[in-house]
Amino acid sequence: MKIAVTGTIGSGKSTLCAKLAALLPGFTVVSVDDVVRSIYGDADFLAHLQKDFGVGSRKEASDLVFADPDKRHALEQLSLRYVRPKLAAALEVNNAIVEFPLLFEMSDFATRADLVVAVGCDDATQEARVVARDKMSLEKLNTVRASQYSRELRAALSDVYVDTGLPPEQQERAIATIVARVHEHQLEERALGFFGQDAGPALWQAIRTRYTESQRHYHTLAHLHELFAVLTPHLAGHPFARAIELAVWFHDIVYETSPALYPTNEAQSAKEMLRLLGKHLPTWLRIECLMHAQVYLAAEIIVATKTHKMHAAWVRAKPEHLAAAELFMDADMAILATPQPRLSEYDAQISREWGQTPGLESFEFCSGRFNALRGFKTAGPVFMTTEFQELESAAQANIDHLMDFWQHRLTVLNRELVTVAKTASP
C-alpha cells in the first residue's frame, strides 16, 4: 500500500509521517525531499547545474531561482531528469508512507497512491514554524507559497486532510481516520486474496456493509483487523487456517444488541456465512470440495463464540479440530489482555454498542457489564491454548480492574438511587 502525504513548507508533513509510521508497523517513510537532495551528490547533475546556472549547491540554486519563475521552471525540469528514476526506485517499497510536498504540482503519483493525505495549517502558524526552523524570510516564504497550489485545493483533492494548527486531540482524530482507512484497505486486500478475485469483491462488500453498521463501536472492521493481527503469526501451515479465517470474517457479521435478538447473534452469523458462501462460492459447500470441512468447522466455531466453549462432539473428537476452534476463541478474547488505554477504549465501545453514554451508563447496564466480567472470572482461565497462555496474567489483572471500575459505578449509582428515594419520601 502507498500513502502519499503532501503539504507546503512548514505544514507538519514530517511530523505526521513519523506518527503514521509509529502506528502502522511494517510501513516505511520515503521522503521525496531526500530523493531530491540525493541528486546534489551526483557529479553529472552538478556539472549541468554549474553549466546552466553557475551554482554548485542546492542552497545557491534555491537562492538564485526563488524570485525568477523562468529559472525556477528550468531548474525543476533539470532536476526531474535525475529525480524521476530515483523516485521510481524509491516508490517500489511496499507499504510506503511517501512524503511528497509537490504531489499535485509535479507528479502523477497522486493517481497511483492508495490514500492521499494533505497536511496544512493557517498562515500565521506556518510562518512561525518556517521562520523558527529554517530562518527563512517572509519574502522568500511568500514566493514559495506563490509557486504551490493552495491549502484549500490540496484539502479538496486529498482523501483525508489534517489541520496541524488545530488542538492535538482534533489532530489525533484525523490520524485515527487515516489509520482506519489503511486497515480497511488491508482487510479488503486480504479478503480478495482469500475469497478470490471473482467472489472476493461481493463478499468483501457484504462484510464491509455489516461491520460498518451504525450500532457497532467495538464489533467493527477494526475488530477484524485486531483479530488478524494476533492470529496471522499462528496460521502459516495450520491445517485448518482457512476455517479460522472464515470464522474471523463471519463470526460477528450479524450483531444486534436488543435483548430479543442478542442471544441469536452467533447462530444468525453462522447462517449468514453459509448463505453468502452459497451465493458467491457454492463449490465450497459441496461435500466433495476440500473447503467443505473448513466451512462447517468455521460454522461450529462461530456458534461456540456464544459461550467461548466448544461443545460440538464431532469437533471435540478430533484434537486438530478442537485446537483450531480454541485458537480462534483465544484470539477473540485477546482484547482482555490489551494494555491501557486500549482496554478502557474497548470498554467504552461496548457501552456505546448498548446505547449507553460512557460515564453515564444506566444501573441495569452497569450491573450487566459487571456480571459479564464476573462470568469471565469464574469460568476459569481465559485462554485455552499455549499460543495465548502468556496473556493470561494480563487478562486476569484487566478483568479485576474492570470489575472494580463497574463495582464502583454501581456503588455510586446505588447511593444516588437511595438519595432520590429519600428525597421523594413524604
Side-chain angles (χ1 to χ4, degrees):
M1 182 178 186
K2 302 292 191 300
I3 306 168
V5 178
T6 187
T8 57
I9 185 171
S11 59
K13 300 180 298 299
S14 297
T15 299
L16 177 65
C17 287
K19 288 181 178 179
L20 290 176
L23 293 169
L24 297 170
F27 276 74
T28 301
V29 176
V30 176
S31 169
V32 173
D33 273 350
D34 286 347
V35 175
V36 173
R37 289 188 190 96
S38 71
I39 67 172
Y40 284 83
D42 185 306
D44 189 55
F45 171 76
L46 289 176
H48 278 90
L49 191 67
Q50 185 67 48
K51 175 177 177 291
D52 296 345
F53 298 94
V55 297
S57 71
R58 189 181 188 193
K59 184 180 186 309
E60 289 175 328
S62 174
D63 290 341
L64 175 70
V65 307
F66 88 91
D68 188 328
D70 291 336
K71 288 184 178 179
R72 185 171 64 247
H73 179 72
L75 177 61
E76 287 172 354
Q77 295 307 304
L78 172 63
S79 300
L80 282 172
R81 283 165 42 196
Y82 291 85
V83 166
R84 285 191 186 280
K86 291 176 176 288
L87 186 57
L91 295 180
E92 288 301 311
V93 175
N94 288 325
N95 291 335
I97 302 167
V98 183
E99 184 180 347
F100 206 142
L102 301 180
L103 177 70
F104 299 116
E105 291 92 338
M106 296 178 63
S107 173
D108 63 349
F109 180 65
T111 62
R112 295 185 286 120
D114 299 297
L115 186 69
V116 176
V117 179
V119 183
C121 59
D122 60 89
D123 288 349
T125 300
Q126 181 189 34
E127 290 167 6
R129 290 173 180 170
V130 173
V131 170
R133 185 190 67 191
D134 301 332
K135 311 303 181 194
M136 184 181 290
S137 69
L138 287 179
E139 179 190 6
K140 185 170 182 178
L141 174 58
N142 286 331
T143 302
V144 171
R145 284 170 171 165
S147 69
Q148 299 176 349
Y149 296 154
S150 69
R151 180 171 63 247
E152 291 76 14
L153 180 60
R154 292 176 192 277
L157 297 179
S158 65
D159 297 304
V160 182
Y161 178 70
V162 181
D163 187 336
T164 59
L166 293 176
E169 61 272 14
Q170 294 184 42
Q171 294 184 50
E172 293 305 316
R173 285 197 289 270
I175 293 170
T177 298
I178 297 169
V179 172
R181 293 282 292 271
V182 173
H183 289 171
E184 182 174 327
H185 180 85
Q186 292 172 330
L187 286 171
E188 181 178 9
E189 287 187 326
R190 184 172 191 129
L192 296 181
F194 182 72
F195 295 113
Q197 293 298 317
D198 292 335
L203 283 166
W204 163 248
Q205 191 54 50
I207 290 166
R208 184 186 181 281
T209 297
R210 289 299 189 92
Y211 281 90
T212 55
E213 291 168 334
S214 61
Q215 81 275 16
R216 296 173 183 252
H217 296 274
Y218 172 68
H219 296 85
T220 62
L221 293 174
H223 172 50
L224 298 188
H225 191 274
E226 286 180 320
L227 265 177
F228 280 125
V230 298
L231 271 172
T232 297
H234 306 296
L235 294 184
H238 196 291
F240 291 98
R242 295 176 76 81
I244 296 169
E245 179 141 350
L246 277 169
V248 174
W249 289 118
F250 292 106
H251 74 290
D252 287 320
I253 197 164
V254 175
Y255 188 76
E256 301 291 345
T257 56
S258 69
L261 295 177
Y262 181 74
T264 71
N265 280 335
E266 293 79 14
Q268 291 301 316
S269 291
K271 186 175 182 179
E272 182 65 1
M273 178 186 72
L274 293 174
R275 186 189 73 80
L276 286 168
L277 292 179
K279 180 178 180 180
H280 300 290
L281 282 170
T283 57
W284 284 19
L285 303 187
R286 294 175 186 167
I287 194 167
E288 66 271 18
C289 178
L290 292 176
M291 278 302 297
H292 181 271
Q294 303 266 357
V295 169
Y296 281 89
L297 176 56
E300 289 282 17
I301 293 172
I302 292 169
V303 171
T305 58
K306 185 169 186 175
T307 60
H308 278 83
K309 297 293 181 185
M310 177 55 71
H311 300 292
W314 76 272
V315 177
R316 297 189 65 83
K318 293 189 175 181
E320 63 272 25
H321 287 163
L322 182 60
E326 291 182 340
L327 183 67
F328 170 82
M329 288 187 280
D330 277 4
D332 199 29
M333 296 292 279
I335 187 66
L336 291 174
T338 196
Q340 295 282 4
R342 179 66 184 110
L343 183 73
S344 295
E345 181 185 36
Y346 149 74
D347 206 42
Q349 288 169 340
I350 296 297
S351 293
R352 292 190 183 98
E353 285 189 338
W354 285 85
Q356 305 290 309
T357 300
L360 298 173
E361 293 92 347
S362 68
F363 181 87
E364 290 76 16
F365 176 83
C366 294
S367 179
R369 186 68 175 140
F370 176 81
N371 288 333
L373 291 163
R374 183 167 57 184
F376 290 144
K377 192 72 178 175
T378 59
V382 173
F383 300 106
M384 299 169 280
T385 64
T386 55
E387 291 87 345
F388 286 89
Q389 191 58 48
E390 64 181 19
L391 301 180
E392 185 67 33
S393 60
Q396 292 293 342
N398 282 343
I399 293 171
D400 288 340
H401 170 76
L402 291 175
M403 287 177 66
D404 288 344
F405 173 81
W406 290 107
Q407 181 66 69
H408 175 72
R409 293 295 310 281
L410 283 168
T411 301
V412 171
L413 288 172
N414 264 321
R415 289 174 185 163
E416 291 174 354
L417 290 172
V418 169
T419 300
V420 170
K422 287 182 178 178
T423 304
S425 299

